[in-house]
Amino acid sequence: MPKKTDTVSLPSGWPMDIIYITSQKYAAELPFKLKQRVGGVEGSKTEGSKSAWVAIQVISAPSHPANGQRGLFATRKIPPKTHILDYLGEVHADDRDDSDYDLSLLRLSTSEAVSMGVSDEPISIGLDAQQMGNEARFCNDYRGIAESPNAEFKDHLVGDELRIGVFSGPKGVGKGKEILVSYGKGWWKARNEDWGGV
């Protein structure tokens, strides 16, 4: 039986070894002042639900860079600049270099960290979906698949809580099309990959 922490049913195609969540989770060791900074003092106040816009599918095209892995696909036409779903995971401030699912939620400068009394160095607050997450963790990078991404990661607020959302691009996403983002050149450089001239 797949792992889950919430009482909602699991999306079709969900992997057995990943915890499915419908709200942002906070690492126990994340200092209170940092939780406060991203609006998570009481934990995630807003529960999400499965997105009607998407479905997880196993990729079976030999030419696809993620052949045999999962991707996220549009179940219907998604209009331009539409919020598709939030990228959920565990909010943390520790190094997670081994995770391919860790996005930068917020970066604090040295002066901000000092004024908050949490550090005398800059702090990066991450959002990691390696061990727990939702359907958004299956967004693949567009390189090797399409000429450009059809979606993007964008910061936004849900109540007082800072989140990273997946939003369709200026042309939207066609029904049945894979939702593709850009992981950024830094992501590929950190992994010594050389896709698409990165």
Side-chain angles (χ1 to χ4, degrees), residues 92 94-102 128-131 187 190-191:
H92 67 91
D94 55 326
D95 289 331
R96 297 194 179 179
D97 296 333
D98 61 334
S99 176
D100 286 337
Y101 298 89
D102 195 19
D128 188 9
Q130 175 123 346
Q131 302 297 323
W187 191 92
R191 286 152 185 82

Side-chain angles (χ1 to χ4, degrees), residues 119-156:
S119 178
D120 57 0
E121 297 179 354
I123 295 177
S124 288
I125 300 174
L127 180 58
D128 188 9
Q130 175 123 346
Q131 302 297 323
M132 63 177 72
N134 67 341
E135 297 94 328
R137 75 187 299 281
F138 297 110
C139 287
N140 285 315
D141 187 269
Y142 77 96
R143 291 167 179 84
I145 305 165
E147 287 185 23
S148 61
N150 58 15
E152 64 179 330
F153 294 125
K154 283 176 43 177
D155 297 345
H156 72 122

Side-chain angles (χ1 to χ4, degrees), residues 52-65:
W53 295 109
V54 300
I56 301 165
Q57 295 179 19
V58 175
I59 296 163
S60 59
S63 63
H64 195 294

